Amino acid sequence: MAELIEAPTGARTDAGTYDAPADTHAVAVARMGRSGRVLPRITGKLLSGLIIIGAITLFGLLGPLVVGDPHDASHEPLLPPSPAHLLGTTKLGHDVLAQIATGTQGSLFVGVVAGLVALLLALVFGVLAGYFGGAVDEVLMLITNIMLVIPGLPLVMIIATYVQHTEGLGALARSSLLVALVLGITGWAGSAVVLRGTARSLRTRDYVAASVVAGERPLRIIFVEILPNLVPLLAAQLIFGVIFAVLGEAGLSYLGLGPTGSITLGTVLNDAQTGQAVGSGAWWWFVPPGAIIALIGTGLSLINFAIDEIVNPKLRLAPAAARRQRRAQRAEAATRGEEVAA
């Protein structure tokens, strides 16, 4: 007897095969997870993003060990870049390169901590709501929707101002960790909505239904059957959370609500703004930290785009389809030109 093979859902053709339906985002994630492929192919976008983020990370980790003390104010103020001070000095005599190296480390710390906190909350609210449905879904999504409709920046400013002036926090007050926690707690709602939609689709897969019939506990099904299929999507949401946190910390620090007990790229920009760096023409004080923040966003976005092309088949196949369409248009134009000439 011929081996029975389960055919995909779709229309049966005359040849006895099936036309596969269009891949949706959730189906693509499910197929990828079941096949074990969770890492994107090495593309130009991914390679460029990894190089940028890798270089910035090495600079943030190793730079503070090499460039000296960022709090040393014994130098002459507002010196332009020179061999002695590669990025000049600030109005108070601090070495700008030393401050940027330490600030890069601080900004990356804030971004990673806030991204992890936001991802954890998005998992709790999104995946649980998507899998259980019913009253659990209604309650969790009500909280998520409330977080979505509240303007993000004013909410972060209010929470940061209140928490930073709360007595009893000690060294935690106005620290990078506190800013990271505030940004993470206020930045998870969008990711929760995305994870909820994908989890609702994955819970209808055959392997999840088989686990339910076998009597597996819901939490085990979530951790064993659903979460592995969400790895590419989780990576994309984590990267988005890190970008949001780095930019959010820079904005808070520029407004004077950032950490005061540590140095970040945002606090360097705030010092440059309060020190009239633009008016005095000290471009070396504010351009480099702004450029590093932009490079962090660019590098992480490139990595995110590469992951999206794997998670979403439409994005992966779009460049090839566009090239085929352009070739067909050029061939058609050439044919018409020959007909007119004839």
Side-chain angles (χ1 to χ4, degrees), residues 158-212:
I158 292 173
I159 295 178
T161 303
Y162 175 77
V163 173
Q164 290 171 356
H165 290 86
T166 301
E167 297 182 359
L169 292 179
L172 183 61
R174 302 303 294 268
S175 65
S176 297
L177 179 59
L178 182 63
V179 173
L181 293 176
V182 171
L183 290 171
I185 292 173
T186 57
W188 57 268
S191 298
V193 173
V194 175
L195 293 176
R196 171 183 176 263
T198 308
R200 290 187 63 182
S201 177
L202 291 177
R203 73 177 182 180
T204 63
R205 303 295 124 199
D206 293 339
Y207 55 87
V208 176
S211 299
V212 174

Side-chain angles (χ1 to χ4, degrees), residues 198-288:
T198 308
R200 290 187 63 182
S201 177
L202 291 177
R203 73 177 182 180
T204 63
R205 303 295 124 199
D206 293 339
Y207 55 87
V208 176
S211 299
V212 174
V213 172
E216 299 288 352
R217 291 175 295 180
L219 289 181
R220 185 183 185 279
I221 295 175
I222 291 175
F223 281 100
V224 175
E225 301 293 347
I226 292 182
L227 286 186
N229 295 323
L230 293 176
V231 168
L233 188 58
L234 293 178
Q237 296 303 315
L238 175 61
I239 292 173
F240 175 78
V242 173
I243 296 174
F244 169 82
V246 170
L247 297 179
E249 183 278 325
L252 285 177
S253 297
Y254 189 79
L255 296 174
L257 299 176
T260 57
S262 56
I263 300 176
T264 65
L265 294 174
T267 59
V268 175
L269 287 175
N270 177 259
D271 291 341
Q273 187 266 337
T274 56
Q276 301 295 321
V278 177
S280 60
W283 58 267
W284 58 86
W285 193 357
F286 60 88
V287 171

Side-chain angles (χ1 to χ4, degrees), residues 125-126 129 136-146 192-193 196:
F125 283 84
V136 175
D137 185 18
E138 294 292 337
V139 173
L140 294 180
M141 289 313 298
L142 174 63
I143 300 174
T144 303
N145 291 332
I146 293 175
V193 173
R196 171 183 176 263

